[in-house]
Amino acid sequence: MSAPVFEKNLTGLLVVDPYNDFISEGGILWPMVKEIAEAVNCVPNMLATLKAARAAGIPVFFAPHHRDRGAEDESNTWKYIAPIQTWGHEKHLFTAGSWGGTFRDEFTPLPGEIIAQEHWCSSGFANTDLDLQLKRHGVHKLIVIGLRANTCIDSTVRFAVELGYDVTLVKNAIATYQWEEMRMTLEINLPLYASHIISAADTIAALQLTAA
């Protein structure tokens, strides 16, 4: 497979769920992702990819998960709710207004970067304005990083391809709870959808060619 070409006027970086609860020591989910995140150098690779995209002039988009609102959360009135959503609500994941429900400092969006509407379950596209925002900015190719490999990343990449986007997944800028989940994402599921599944180093090298 040839290396990806990231045309500046067609490509966007999509950062999925860079919340403290996921990627910071003290976050609710950090103990569950820590082993894999540290083994693949996930957070430093996410940050390096983000910096490279910014340096190359590639627009940056964020796909944030729904932030829980406790007793006031809309899901309390739902007739049907997925098990993963119930679990997250019970754990108070990404609580609105909390440290855990805030992006890790290094991933704070810069002026002009786009934060899409919060996704309710796993796909960054379902029932949000992400597709609209990307189209309004002329983006047809996506570089995807973030959490969690076999849920939000898997669902977002699949949905992106259904909508016609060309996707590059940065394989060591994602993480999850179990190695088997990583294997399913990187070796079985997403090779059917992503045009490229490459390392952060290779992604950054391609971005540097874009910037040149």
Side-chain angles (χ1 to χ4, degrees):
M1 184 182 294
S2 60
V5 176
F6 299 135
E7 299 95 334
K8 190 177 299 187
N9 61 334
L10 296 178
T11 306
L13 174 68
L14 182 61
V15 186
V16 181
D17 295 344
Y19 286 121
N20 283 310
D21 266 346
F22 251 144
I23 58 174
S24 295
E25 193 75 45
I28 293 173
L29 296 173
W30 178 246
M32 301 177 71
V33 303
K34 180 177 180 177
E35 177 186 346
I36 293 173
E38 291 186 343
V40 303
N41 219 26
C42 175
V43 178
N45 284 330
M46 287 174 62
L47 184 58
T49 303
L50 173 61
K51 289 180 176 179
R54 286 170 170 167
I58 297 294
V60 178
F61 301 80
F62 294 84
H65 197 281
H66 173 68
R67 286 171 291 178
D68 190 78
R69 288 162 176 78
E72 304 300 319
D73 199 75
E74 296 93 329
S75 66
N76 290 319
T77 64
W78 290 359
K79 186 173 182 180
Y80 306 108
I81 184 168
I84 192 172
Q85 293 171 302
T86 299
W87 185 84
H89 187 41
E90 291 173 349
K91 294 285 187 181
H92 306 295
L93 297 183
F94 320 126
T95 298
S98 72
W99 172 83
T102 302
F103 290 173
R104 181 166 164 151
D105 285 346
E106 299 96 315
F107 296 91
T108 300
L110 297 180
E113 295 180 347
I114 305 299
I115 305 173
Q117 293 169 340
E118 296 174 2
H119 50 272
W120 288 97
C121 193
S122 293
S123 171
F125 288 94
N127 302 305
T128 76
D129 64 346
L130 179 57
D131 182 48
L132 174 66
Q133 293 284 4
L134 293 168
K135 285 187 167 72
R136 291 297 192 192
H137 289 82
V139 171
H140 296 272
K141 295 186 174 185
L142 288 177
I143 303 166
V144 178
I145 62 175
L147 280 292
R148 168 188 172 201
N150 59 307
T151 57
C152 292
I153 297 299
D154 191 306
S155 296
T156 298
V157 169
R158 290 184 189 222
F159 208 130
V161 173
E162 297 281 5
L163 292 170
Y165 293 93
D166 180 85
V167 178
T168 293
L169 177 62
V170 186
K171 64 183 179 181
N172 54 356
I174 64 172
T176 186
Y177 306 158
Q178 301 176 39
W179 284 108
E180 183 64 12
E181 294 171 344
M182 285 287 278
R183 189 183 75 82
M184 290 292 292
T185 297
L186 294 175
E187 298 179 20
I188 297 176
N189 291 344
L190 292 190
L192 300 174
Y193 296 90
S195 298
H196 298 90
I197 298 178
I198 60 176
S199 68
D202 288 342
T203 303
I204 291 165
L207 285 167
Q208 288 171 340
L209 291 176
T210 301

